Amino acid sequence: QKEVEQNSGPLSVPEGAIASLNCTYSDRGSQSFFWYRQYSGKSPELIMSIYSNGDKEDGRFTAQLNKASQYVSLLIRDSQPSDSATYLCAVNPPRGNAGKSTFGDGTTLTVKP
Amino acid sequence: DVKVTQSSRYLVKRTGEKVFLECVQDMDHENMFWYRQDPGLGLRLIYFSYDVKMKEKGDIPEGYSVSREKKERFSLILESASTNQTSMYLCASSMSGPVHGYTFGSGTRLTVV
């Protein structure tokens, strides 16, 4: 089992719809969770961080964390063609090298006009 | 604007050459990381560093070494380049502690022929 798993996609949604991206992790003690957006040919860019159970909203983006289920998700409301990218989930471990993230393989999102 | 700068965007090297990839950050970050990214394999950690002159192996250190003589600079060295080291190399940095995400450089696309 991979430490961080994401639906590989691709995920396709129409413009204006809600895109839902999911991520599960194996280490129950993990404490920090991140979402990165990576456009084709570009490097990843941090878009959301979440540390506590529940929802965290930033503009059209909402990150959701459920530590009991070891599940983190990213919702993109009113999806735009400019949201078309690969989204990487990353998890920081509970101890030791606390700044070293483990990344999922990413979910590719296409928003169709 | 804070930055992680990688010295080259594209590099072509011959098999057996010693290759240096340079990364400089201007954010006074303690942590620095080198990843490679390949289609279907995601982001794989090569080496990381939590402090000057300190280094730790990541998941795939074979064939690589690193140097961190100054806080702002983290160099990746391919001792004897091979064709299977053709890849996108990404440098990242972060603040110390478990709650901080990464800032990535723009990447170096290395081709070994």
Side-chain angles (χ1 to χ4, degrees), chain B residues 3-100:
Chain B
K3 278 188 177 178
V4 177
T5 302
Q6 294 185 230
S7 54
S8 304
R9 187 74 179 95
Y10 298 97
L11 273 180
V12 180
K13 296 292 182 181
R14 294 192 181 279
T15 300
E17 277 194 77
K18 191 169 186 176
V19 181
F20 294 85
L21 302 182
E22 305 288 344
C23 176
V24 177
Q25 51 97 2
D26 64 1
M27 297 167 283
D28 201 34
H29 283 174
E30 290 79 13
N31 303 333
M32 296 189 75
F33 307 86
W34 276 106
Y35 286 84
R36 62 179 284 179
Q37 187 174 36
D38 301 287
L41 296 176
L43 280 164
R44 293 182 290 168
L45 180 63
I46 305 171
Y47 268 97
F48 58 102
S49 170
Y50 288 122
D51 201 353
V52 176
K53 297 190 184 293
M54 175 275 177
K55 60 186 178 184
E56 289 195 30
K57 293 180 180 180
D59 300 319
I60 53 163
E62 296 78 19
Y64 303 95
S65 62
V66 290
S67 173
R68 192 167 183 197
E69 296 295 319
K70 295 185 177 181
K71 188 176 184 180
E72 67 270 19
R73 185 180 296 270
F74 192 36
S75 303
L76 179 69
I77 304 153
L78 285 66
E79 299 292 342
S80 178
S82 63
T83 55
N84 63 13
Q85 293 178 309
T86 293
S87 185
M88 171 66 83
Y89 289 87
L90 290 164
C91 176
S93 71
S94 71
M95 294 173 64
S96 180
V99 299
H100 303 290

Side-chain angles (χ1 to χ4, degrees), chain A residues 2 31-32 34 36 38 41-46 49 51 88 92-93 96-105, chain B residues 9 31 33 35 37 40-43 45 48 50 56 59 88 90 94 97-102 104-107:
Chain A
K2 287 187 176 181
Q31 53 184 312
S32 304
F34 308 93
Y36 294 80
Q38 185 174 23
K42 302 293 186 182
S43 59
E45 174 192 13
L46 179 65
S49 306
Y51 316 111
L88 302 171
N92 277 13
N97 298 321
K100 183 168 76 76
S101 294
T102 299
F103 287 83
D105 290 342
Chain B
R9 187 74 179 95
N31 303 333
F33 307 86
Y35 286 84
Q37 187 174 36
L41 296 176
L43 280 164
L45 180 63
F48 58 102
Y50 288 122
E56 289 195 30
D59 300 319
M88 171 66 83
L90 290 164
S94 71
V99 299
H100 303 290
Y102 293 179
F104 281 90
S106 56

Side-chain angles (χ1 to χ4, degrees), chain A residues 5 32-33 43 76 88 99 112:
Chain A
E5 294 206 53
S32 304
F33 308 86
S43 59
I76 306 174
L88 302 171
K112 295 187 174 181

Side-chain angles (χ1 to χ4, degrees), chain A residues 39-111:
Chain A
Y39 292 117
S40 180
K42 302 293 186 182
S43 59
E45 174 192 13
L46 179 65
I47 57 172
M48 289 289 283
S49 306
I50 188 166
Y51 316 111
S52 303
N53 278 330
D55 294 358
K56 179 181 178 182
E57 187 174 318
D58 183 1
R60 294 185 297 110
F61 297 94
T62 299
Q64 299 175 318
L65 176 61
N66 184 327
K67 290 187 176 180
S69 299
Q70 295 174 239
Y71 174 95
V72 58
S73 65
L74 179 70
L75 301 178
I76 306 174
R77 291 183 302 281
D78 188 24
S79 295
Q80 300 297 309
S82 59
D83 295 325
S84 297
T86 296
Y87 290 82
L88 302 171
C89 173
V91 177
N92 277 13
R95 66 191 72 82
N97 298 321
K100 183 168 76 76
S101 294
T102 299
F103 287 83
D105 290 342
T107 298
T108 300
L109 171 67
T110 301
V111 180

